[in-house]
Amino acid sequence: MVENLVELLRWYSAMGVDIAVDDAPHDRLAECREARTRAAADVDVAPPPKPEAALAPRAAPREPALVLPADALEQSARDSAAGAQTLAELRERLLRFEGCGLKATATQLVFGDGDPNAEIMFVGEAPGADEDRQGLPFVGRAGQLLDKMLAAIGLERGKVYIANVVPWRPPGNRTPTPLETAVCLPFTRRQIELVHPKILVCLGAASAQTLLGAKEGIMRLRGRWFDYPLGETKIRAIAMLHPAYLLRQPAQKKLAWRDLRLLAKEIGRSSPAR
Ligand code: URA
């Protein structure tokens, strides 16, 4: 009996069910289906406006239903992100945005964190289980390693800004799909614009390929400087190995130290010893 329960828990964990978010079970797929139905009903069968409504101030546009085609979702993300003048506004818009299916399975939004005036901004892939629980990026084991990497070149977490390409946890920590990434990208780009750092650090392949528009793997991208267009200007951008990868492959830390040294040199800090 106990063995069966242990087996069941193991299976849940393998399927990505690794936290209890509530006392009562949630059928997220049913919630998602209901949200789609509601949104589709709003879009398709809303009654025609009464004549006097034409004169009334127009309500804020609704966020798109998940049933919209990919290019419409991306356009709606671009429109929504472009309208945000501050990080707080961008966060509000993401909270209201219904165009990314990951929102239905994540516990909460994991928006960027740190100094909004930071000169260095780090962007990872997507929140994991700890981040999903706490609502903050890079707070789990990978985040603790990132803190150590920052400390190695005299940086404190609170003095940089940290975000992810996708702000909701993909179930079971799977890699975000190209559509999920594309739909979230306008928000990530706007977040970078609003922080306006001098240096952008892409952590891992998903971040580097998405933000730098590169096709090569992380082993070819890491340790190289790129230009990242930001408004009228360009900033320096570098790709590094993701701390989660370094936890799985500690022998590759030597490459991470090399890249950290490049970053330290760029910002005029003393380098880590090795
Ligand atoms: N990995 C990421 O890419 N981002 C996080 O926030 C945590 C782990």
Side-chain angles (χ1 to χ4, degrees), residues 124-127 131 137-138 164 242:
E125 178 176 315
E131 290 75 21
F138 282 98
N164 282 302
H242 195 290

Side-chain angles (χ1 to χ4, degrees), residues 28-264:
R28 299 280 188 197
L29 293 175
E31 286 169 12
C32 183
R33 272 194 303 274
E34 279 159 26
R36 281 180 195 214
T37 313
R38 269 199 310 278
D42 285 347
V43 168
D44 292 334
V45 296
K50 297 195 179 121
E52 67 270 21
L55 299 172
R58 296 181 75 181
R62 300 187 74 86
E63 295 296 355
L66 285 168
V67 284
L68 293 180
D71 53 353
L73 291 174
E74 287 172 40
Q75 185 57 49
S76 139
R78 277 195 291 275
D79 293 345
S80 177
Q85 301 308 317
T86 63
L87 287 170
E89 244 178 79
L90 188 67
R91 186 172 182 281
E92 281 304 312
R93 282 166 182 258
L94 261 175
L95 284 170
R96 288 201 309 266
F97 186 64
E98 299 293 344
C100 179
L102 292 175
K103 185 177 182 181
T105 49
T107 308
Q108 58 184 318
L109 172 74
V110 178
F111 195 68
D113 181 48
D115 180 355
N117 301 309
E119 296 198 341
I120 309 175
M121 176 163 174
F122 291 78
V123 181
E125 178 176 315
D130 294 302
E131 290 75 21
D132 182 62
R133 240 187 322 263
Q134 296 186 41
L136 290 169
F138 282 98
V139 289
R141 283 183 66 223
Q144 284 153 23
L145 179 56
L146 179 60
D147 290 351
K148 286 187 191 149
M149 291 163 70
L150 297 179
I153 54 170
L155 289 175
E156 270 171 54
R157 189 190 167 95
K159 303 257 166 65
V160 300
Y161 193 85
I162 304 178
N164 282 302
V165 165
V166 166
W168 290 283
R169 181 196 183 201
N173 295 346
R174 66 162 168 74
T175 305
T177 64
L179 176 60
E180 287 158 358
T181 305
V183 161
C184 294
L185 185 58
F187 292 99
T188 313
R189 288 211 188 281
R190 187 73 186 131
Q191 203 168 172
I192 299 170
E193 272 171 23
L194 290 169
V195 175
H196 213 293
K198 290 197 173 130
I199 296 174
L200 176 67
V201 182
C202 301
L203 295 171
S207 169
Q209 290 167 345
T210 306
L211 294 176
L212 306 177
K215 296 245 180 317
E216 300 139 283
I218 189 67
M219 284 304 173
R220 287 191 181 277
L221 293 172
R222 56 147 285 274
R224 282 162 56 192
W225 286 105
F226 295 81
D227 282 335
Y228 179 88
L230 196 59
E232 305 286 284
T233 66
K234 299 189 280 236
I235 59 168
R236 306 268 277 157
I238 192 167
M240 288 192 187
L241 297 178
H242 195 290
Y245 172 76
L246 297 173
L247 288 171
R248 293 193 301 273
Q249 304 284 339
Q252 303 288 32
K253 282 185 183 169
K254 61 180 182 302
L255 297 179
W257 296 139
R258 245 180 246 170
D259 301 343
L260 279 174
R261 272 208 286 264
L262 289 176
L263 178 59

